Amino acid sequence: QNIDKNKLNDYLKFSSYFFEENAIYKSNSVKWQIETDEYFFEYAEVPFIVFPALSLKCFAKNDSSVIHNTSGVFYPTLNKFEGKTGDIYWQRAGFSQQEVRAELSKYTIDTKKSNYKADSVLFFNTFWFNKPLKGKIVEKILANVTPQKASYPEFISYDKRIKIPNLLQDVDFDGGFTQRGSKIVGYGDSDHKASIYIYRDNAPFLLAEAEAFIITPEKIQSAKSSLIIYL
């Protein structure tokens, strides 16, 4: 049987850092590490490792990201992890696990990279919603991140017509919802823009529409919006 010497060499290197550091991938720029003692090796065309339950950590640029309470299969010769279920928290952005989190369903990670995406997630934010939103997650590790500057994890809702009454005092919101690290972004598109309704003396005063609003406790801003003032 012919053996690919490069793949064999990569597999031997993988075995070294797997048994020494619990790492499924390691390079000069990124490291993926497991937290579990339960796993077993299998082979079907290519070797793979099954993890019934684990936490999966990524280290890069002096920062880290974790998928908690997950399971999956890792293919060492393909540098691919296929996961099922899992919890993502916004602690890098300054929120507790109980305040902001997302539940993953299925996802695939290229372990040579320090970023990944996941569809069909459930997002929980106790500040704004009493039930979860459906959408997708984008996770990326960046250098020199502080809670105020954190841009990831990023959740993007599928629904672009989410209503949030009293977003701020005398302000209602209608549009898509994005949690971008510590920032809230209301979003839409050219056909279905996000809307901000402002009231004065309990009556409509101003309607602003835009493809994106950045929302903070101090202000709401948009690079380009249309305005209607009710006289």
Side-chain angles (χ1 to χ4, degrees):
Q1 183 178 3
N2 294 326
I3 298 176
D4 188 320
K5 292 183 179 180
N6 290 329
K7 287 188 176 181
L8 178 59
N9 185 55
D10 290 343
Y11 189 80
L12 292 175
K13 286 196 298 183
F14 153 75
S15 299
S16 175
Y17 50 68
F18 179 75
F19 291 112
E20 290 179 0
E21 304 178 40
N22 284 339
I24 59 174
Y25 182 83
K26 181 181 178 181
S27 69
N28 292 331
S29 58
V30 62
K31 177 180 177 181
W32 287 91
Q33 192 172 44
I34 61 168
E35 284 191 357
T36 183
D37 294 324
E38 185 180 0
Y39 53 84
F40 50 91
F41 288 78
E42 295 283 354
Y43 186 92
E45 297 184 357
V46 294
F48 61 93
I49 309 171
V50 178
F51 298 96
L54 78 157
S55 289
L56 183 60
K57 291 186 176 182
C58 181
F59 298 90
K61 304 174 183 177
N62 297 319
D63 198 5
S64 64
S65 172
V66 186
I67 303 175
H68 300 266
N69 308 316
T70 189
S71 63
V73 177
F74 178 62
Y75 299 88
T77 57
L78 304 176
N79 297 309
K80 181 172 69 172
F81 184 90
E82 293 183 346
K84 293 183 179 180
T85 70
D87 296 317
I88 300 292
Y89 302 117
W90 266 250
Q91 290 176 296
R92 302 204 320 275
F95 299 100
S96 72
Q97 294 184 3
Q98 292 73 33
E99 290 172 334
V100 182
R101 65 185 178 90
E103 292 181 359
L104 305 181
S105 53
K106 294 181 180 180
Y107 61 95
T108 300
I109 293 174
D110 180 351
T111 53
K112 292 182 292 184
K113 301 177 180 179
S114 59
N115 59 79
Y116 64 90
K117 299 178 181 179
D119 284 312
S120 302
V121 308
L122 290 178
F123 175 75
F124 299 79
N125 184 316
T126 59
F127 294 102
W128 301 110
F129 308 106
N130 54 17
K131 62 180 181 180
L133 304 178
K134 293 182 179 180
K136 60 183 178 181
I137 286 288
V138 179
E139 173 67 305
K140 182 182 295 186
I141 299 179
L142 301 175
N144 303 317
V145 172
T146 64
Q148 293 75 23
K149 296 181 179 179
S151 299
Y152 297 93
E154 180 182 24
F155 167 79
I156 304 164
S157 70
Y158 291 146
D159 189 355
K160 295 180 182 178
R161 293 271 64 91
I162 297 171
K163 293 179 172 28
I164 306 178
N166 297 315
L167 177 73
L168 301 174
Q169 184 176 355
D170 296 323
V171 177
D172 293 347
F173 171 79
D174 185 357
F177 181 92
T178 293
Q179 176 96 34
R180 188 177 296 166
S182 59
K183 301 177 182 66
I184 300 297
V185 178
Y187 80 96
D189 55 34
S190 57
D191 296 324
H192 302 90
K193 294 183 178 180
S195 302
I196 295 290
Y197 299 88
I198 299 177
Y199 299 86
R200 186 171 66 178
D201 298 328
N202 296 319
F205 172 66
L206 185 146
L207 167 62
E209 293 183 321
E211 293 189 18
F213 291 102
I214 298 175
I215 302 166
T216 68
E218 295 79 24
K219 61 184 177 181
I220 299 173
Q221 61 185 18
S222 174
K224 184 179 181 180
S225 62
S226 62
L227 299 176
I228 297 175
I229 299 176
Y230 298 98
L231 300 177

